[in-house]
Amino acid sequence: MSVGMLQMALFNIIVLSRKYSFILGPLAMSIGSLVAAITYVQIMKSDGADALLEFTGAKGSTWLEKANGYAQDYGVLGLLGLQIAPIPIPTAVLVIAGMLAKMNEYKILVTLFVSKIVQLTLGAVALKYATENMTPEEFIRKQMLGEEENKEDKDKKGE
């Protein structure tokens, strides 16, 4: 199982667990991305830029050139567009593109954090709406076993 699959599973469990815990999943993932972005910025500022490019597989790649072009041409809006694109782009690529475009490091970090938290919060709200505010257990019972909620359970929820 990859880290991405584990993150997705934990994100869904956290979002669906309680009525108002849906904000904790996006917040945790955004903070994790911010810590990674700070690390990448520090590596890019040091002499480790070539090593980071090689480690991430970005050295000489066309997708890094495209991301760098968007960052140079559009600045913060270019990074924002790349972040919210339907194709997932790793944080490392976005930071590298911003740093190669000579963007201010704080602008890169704020842009990535704010866009990530907005994107994930919207996803969490959509998930809560799509599952009709059910817990993971209730959702699995309904989908897999065909069970419906009892009248008493609905009354407890205040519906």
Side-chain angles (χ1 to χ4, degrees):
M1 179 188 283
S2 72
V3 173
M5 294 298 288
L6 183 62
Q7 281 182 331
M8 180 190 69
L10 288 174
F11 179 79
N12 291 336
I13 289 170
I14 291 169
V15 167
L16 295 175
S17 289
R18 286 184 229 104
K19 191 171 184 175
Y20 297 109
S21 68
F22 71 92
I23 192 65
L24 296 178
L27 187 62
M29 287 185 71
S30 298
I31 290 171
S33 290
L34 180 64
V35 170
I38 290 169
T39 304
Y40 296 138
V41 165
Q42 295 306 315
I43 291 172
M44 289 295 292
K45 284 172 51 178
S46 70
D47 292 334
D50 287 332
L52 179 62
L53 290 170
E54 217 167 287
F55 178 73
T56 59
K59 191 167 191 149
S61 69
T62 56
W63 50 267
L64 179 62
E65 290 174 17
K66 285 184 182 183
N68 188 25
Y70 284 118
Q72 283 182 347
D73 295 343
Y74 302 106
V76 170
L77 292 178
L79 282 182
L80 182 65
L82 290 169
Q83 174 68 37
I84 62 173
I87 300 169
I89 299 175
T91 303
V93 173
L94 297 173
V95 170
I96 292 168
M99 293 299 286
L100 290 176
K102 307 284 188 235
M103 291 177 64
N104 181 320
E105 64 187 77
Y106 297 109
K107 280 186 181 179
I108 296 169
L109 297 174
V110 168
T111 301
L112 294 181
F113 181 75
V114 170
S115 62
K116 177 78 74 176
I117 201 161
V118 168
Q119 179 186 31
L120 292 172
T121 301
L122 290 175
V125 169
L127 184 62
K128 291 292 274 187
Y129 180 76
T131 60
E132 298 172 352
N133 209 18
M134 288 186 259
T135 65
E137 179 186 1
E138 293 168 342
F139 184 76
I140 290 170
R141 286 183 180 277
K142 182 177 180 184
Q143 295 299 317
M144 301 296 192
L145 302 175
E147 292 180 8
E148 294 293 326
E149 283 186 291
N150 295 335
K151 175 90 170 118
E152 296 142 13
D153 291 341
K154 284 184 178 181
D155 289 341
K156 286 180 186 175
K157 282 186 169 182
E159 293 179 350

